[in-house]
C-alpha cells in the first residue's frame, strides 16, 4: 500500500529564532498590564489618587483647612 | 533548611508548569512551554495556511492567547491537546475571515452505502504533489478536518473536543470534506492520469 500522502506533505519547517523573543516580549507586556490592572482593581484610589492628595495638602481636604478666618462674620471690636 | 530542593524548571511536566503559571505569571516558565510546542504549532499553521509570514503571526497570537487563557485551563485534558485546540480554531477563524466563502460543488444528498469508504481509499491514493493544491482549494473547515484525521490521526473523540461538535457532526463533516476534496481533485486533474 502507498504511503499516506497527508503525511508526505506535512510541514517540517521550524519557527524562526526571533519569534521566541517576540512572543516572550508580548507575554511580559501582558504580565505588566495584568499587574497594573490588579493594582487598580484592588484599590483604585490608592493606585491613582493617593499622590494627588499628598501633593494637595498633606492628606487633608480643603474643607478641613482652619488656617483662614471665617469671612462671613464681622470683625469684633474691643 | 529542610525544604525539598525544587525541580529545575526544564524538568517540570507540562501540567506542573501550567499549575505554577496559574499560581504566578512568569514569562520564563512560559518560555519552556513555548520551546516544547512552538515547532508543532508552527507546522500546524504552515499546514493550514502554506504561508510562512502568516504562520509566524498566527504562532505569536496563539501563544499569547494560550497565556492569557491559562487561568481557565482546568487540567481535564492534556496541555498539548488544549493548545492544539486553540491552534486549529485560531487558524480556522483566521482563514475564514480572510478567504471568501466558497460554495460547495456538491449537493447535500446522502451517499450510497459504501461510497464513503471508497472515497477514503481514493483520497489516500492521491499523489502527494497533487494533494497540496487540492487542500489549498478547499474551504478552511474542510481542510482542517482532513488534516486532523489523516495527518495528525486524531480520534473522533479528540476531534469532538477540538471542534466542540457531537460525534455524528464530526463524522458527517469528515465525510463531506472527503467528498469535496475528491470533487476538487477531479476538477483540477480531470484530463491527467
Amino acid at each position: 500500500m502507498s504511503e499516506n500522502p497527508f503525511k508526505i506533505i506535512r510541514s517540517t519547517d521550524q519557527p524562526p529564532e526571533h519569534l521566541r523573543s517576540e512572543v516572550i516580549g508580548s507575554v511580559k507586556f501582558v504580565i505588566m498590564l495584568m499587574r497594573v490592572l490588579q493594582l487598580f482593581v484592588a484599590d483604585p484610589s490608592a493606585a491613582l489618587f493617593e499622590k494627588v492628595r499628598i501633593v494637595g495638602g498633606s492628606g487633608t481636604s480643603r474643607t478641613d483647612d482652619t488656617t483662614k478666618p471665617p469671612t462671613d462674620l464681622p470683625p469684633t471690636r474691643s | 533548611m529542610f525544604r525539598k530542593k525544587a525541580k529545575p524548571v526544564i524538568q517540570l511536566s507540562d501540567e506542573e508548569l501550567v499549575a505554577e503559571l496559574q499560581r504566578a505569571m512568569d514569562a520564563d516558565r512560559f518560555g519552556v512551554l513555548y520551546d516544547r510546542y512552538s515547532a508543532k504549532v508552527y507546522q500546524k499553521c504552515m499546514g493550514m495556511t502554506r504561508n510562512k509570514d502568516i504562520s509566524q503571526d498566527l504562532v505569536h497570537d496563539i501563544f499569547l492567547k494560550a497565556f492569557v487563557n491559562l487561568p481557565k485551563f482546568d487540567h481535564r485534558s492534556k496541555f498539548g491537546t488544549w493548545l492544539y485546540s486553540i491552534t486549529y480554531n485560531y487558524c480556522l477563524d483566521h482563514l475564514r475571515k480572510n478567504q471568501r466563502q466558497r460554495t460547495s460543488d456538491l449537493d447535500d444528498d446522502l451517499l450510497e452505502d459504501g461510497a464513503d469508504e471508497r472515497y477514503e481509499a481514493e483520497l489516500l491514493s492521491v499523489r502527494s504533489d497533487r494533494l497540496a493544491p487540492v487542500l489549498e482549494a478547499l474551504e478552511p473547515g474542510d481542510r482542517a478536518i482532513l488534516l486532523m484525521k489523516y495527518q495528525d490521526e486524531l480520534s473522533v473523540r479528540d476531534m469532538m473536543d477540538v471542534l466542540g461538535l457531537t460525534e455524528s457532526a464530526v463524522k458527517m463533516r469528515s465525510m463531506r470534506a472527503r467528498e469535496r476534496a475528491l470533487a476538487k481533485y477531479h476538477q483540477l486533474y480531470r484530463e491527467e492520469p
Side-chain angles (χ1 to χ4, degrees):
Chain A
M1 196 180 159
S2 59
E3 203 181 336
N4 177 351
F6 285 88
K7 297 271 186 192
I8 298 171
I9 62 165
R10 181 195 285 271
S11 166
T12 53
D13 294 337
Q14 294 295 313
E17 284 296 312
H18 68 84
L19 193 55
R20 187 186 197 280
S21 52
E22 282 176 24
V23 170
I24 298 304
S26 298
V27 164
K28 283 180 178 169
F29 182 70
V30 167
I31 291 173
M32 192 192 74
L33 277 182
M34 284 174 163
R35 285 191 178 144
V36 169
L37 205 68
Q38 277 171 351
L39 192 69
F40 186 76
V41 169
D43 191 353
S45 61
L48 276 186
F49 305 118
E50 188 67 21
K51 291 277 180 204
V52 174
R53 241 188 293 153
I54 290 165
V55 171
S58 306
T60 54
S61 70
R62 276 183 194 176
T63 50
D64 293 332
D65 196 347
T66 52
T67 53
K68 278 183 183 176
T71 52
D72 52 344
L73 294 172
T76 52
R77 289 185 188 180
S78 53
Chain B
M1 193 172 162
F2 297 109
R3 243 171 49 191
K4 202 175 155 188
K5 202 177 171 187
K7 243 196 227 180
V9 176
I10 200 85
Q11 287 177 15
L12 295 174
S13 70
D14 294 348
E15 281 64 35
E16 286 170 328
L17 271 171
V18 171
E20 287 200 359
L21 282 163
Q22 285 174 327
R23 280 194 292 273
M25 295 173 288
D26 181 88
D28 293 332
R29 278 177 166 69
F30 190 74
V32 177
L33 288 175
Y34 175 89
D35 292 338
R36 288 182 191 168
Y37 287 98
S38 59
K40 279 184 186 169
V41 171
Y42 182 69
Q43 286 160 6
K44 282 289 138 280
C45 296
M46 280 293 290
M48 294 282 282
T49 64
R50 305 254 149 214
N51 181 302
K52 284 186 178 182
D53 292 336
I54 294 173
S55 296
Q56 286 175 28
D57 287 348
L58 290 174
V59 169
H60 176 272
D61 294 354
I62 287 163
F63 274 99
L64 212 55
K65 193 178 168 85
F67 181 76
V68 171
N69 284 291
L70 269 181
K72 293 183 198 161
F73 178 66
D74 56 10
H75 295 264
R76 277 190 300 182
S77 61
K78 285 184 179 174
F79 173 76
T81 311
W82 183 72
L83 187 63
Y84 187 94
S85 168
I86 294 178
T87 302
Y88 255 111
N89 287 304
Y90 198 80
C91 287
L92 266 184
D93 284 349
H94 169 84
L95 291 170
R96 282 183 177 143
K97 272 182 213 156
N98 292 283
Q99 258 183 354
R100 69 191 159 81
Q101 194 73 27
R102 292 186 173 90
T103 51
S104 168
D105 297 331
L106 301 164
D107 59 33
D108 279 344
D109 291 341
L110 285 172
L111 291 171
E112 55 178 288
D113 285 348
D116 194 39
E117 286 78 11
R118 287 203 303 277
Y119 280 174
E120 182 166 81
E122 194 180 344
L123 190 61
L124 291 175
S125 65
V126 164
R127 272 170 39 188
S128 57
D129 59 328
R130 291 178 175 184
L131 184 61
V134 168
L135 290 176
E136 212 159 310
L138 286 176
E139 195 268 323
D142 286 345
R143 191 187 317 160
I145 217 156
L146 292 174
L147 290 174
M148 272 184 221
K149 187 168 172 61
Y150 298 113
Q151 195 168 73
D152 302 326
E153 295 179 331
L154 258 63
S155 65
V156 172
R157 175 79 248 174
D158 287 340
M159 287 164 80
M160 286 163 62
D161 289 343
V162 170
L163 298 166
L165 296 171
T166 61
E167 184 179 349
S168 58
V170 166
K171 287 179 175 172
M172 181 58 77
R173 286 205 188 177
S174 305
M175 190 176 81
R176 293 285 173 230
R178 282 192 288 275
E179 281 179 61
R180 284 191 272 264
L182 279 174
K184 192 56 75 180
Y185 174 75
H186 291 304
Q187 190 186 327
L188 289 174
Y189 301 104
R190 192 175 294 155
E191 308 287 307
E192 301 165 53

